[in-house]
Amino acid sequence: MKLKELAHSRTGDKGNISNVSLIVYHSEDYERLRQAVTAERVKDHFKDIVKGEVIRYELPKIGAMNFVMQEALGGGVTRSLSLDRHGKSLSSYLLEMEISLES
């Protein structure tokens, strides 16, 4: 199953750092997503884009996780030659991640 079936996402940027949130539609899915979507899995999913560390911050009271990805934007808005210099499409890419949920 793809993440987009259980959650939505938003993206922000600061310099060469991308910040991608993952917010569940239903609170009962949070714990299973927390177990399935680790910083390591996200780093692997973005392996061709993110050159630095990926850190996950958990926000269980609002059913969300925030992934801070270092060296993710080709040097940042003023330096990148990418068509998506702000990295806004990274949230859509995260939602395409395939996950397996154990009951």
Side-chain angles (χ1 to χ4, degrees):
M1 133 181 330
K2 292 193 178 198
L3 275 178
K4 66 183 174 184
E5 296 176 46
L6 299 172
H8 61 101
S9 182
R10 299 277 302 185
T11 307
D13 69 284
K14 192 65 163 182
N16 198 20
I17 301 168
S18 183
N19 171 32
V20 182
S21 64
L22 184 65
I23 306 122
V24 297
Y25 294 126
H26 305 288
S27 59
E28 60 269 15
D29 293 324
Y30 177 76
E31 183 57 31
R32 293 187 308 159
L33 278 185
R34 190 185 70 76
Q35 292 177 24
V37 187
T38 63
E40 293 78 19
R41 290 254 356 253
V42 170
K43 170 79 172 166
D44 186 60
H45 186 67
F46 286 98
K47 66 181 172 252
D48 294 329
I49 300 168
V50 177
K51 306 304 179 202
E53 181 180 21
V54 174
I55 301 169
R56 179 178 78 176
Y57 295 94
E58 299 176 11
L59 300 115
K61 291 188 179 190
I62 61 170
M65 290 174 269
N66 191 39
F67 295 91
V68 177
M69 303 186 298
Q70 303 286 332
E71 299 176 50
L73 299 172
V77 174
T78 60
R79 302 178 86 189
S80 177
L81 298 175
S82 171
L83 292 175
D84 182 16
R85 292 179 287 185
H86 292 278
K88 297 299 182 186
S89 65
L90 298 181
S91 59
S92 295
Y93 187 61
L94 177 62
L95 293 175
E96 290 296 318
M97 179 190 287
E98 290 281 346
I99 59 168
S100 171
L101 297 179
E102 303 299 321
S103 298

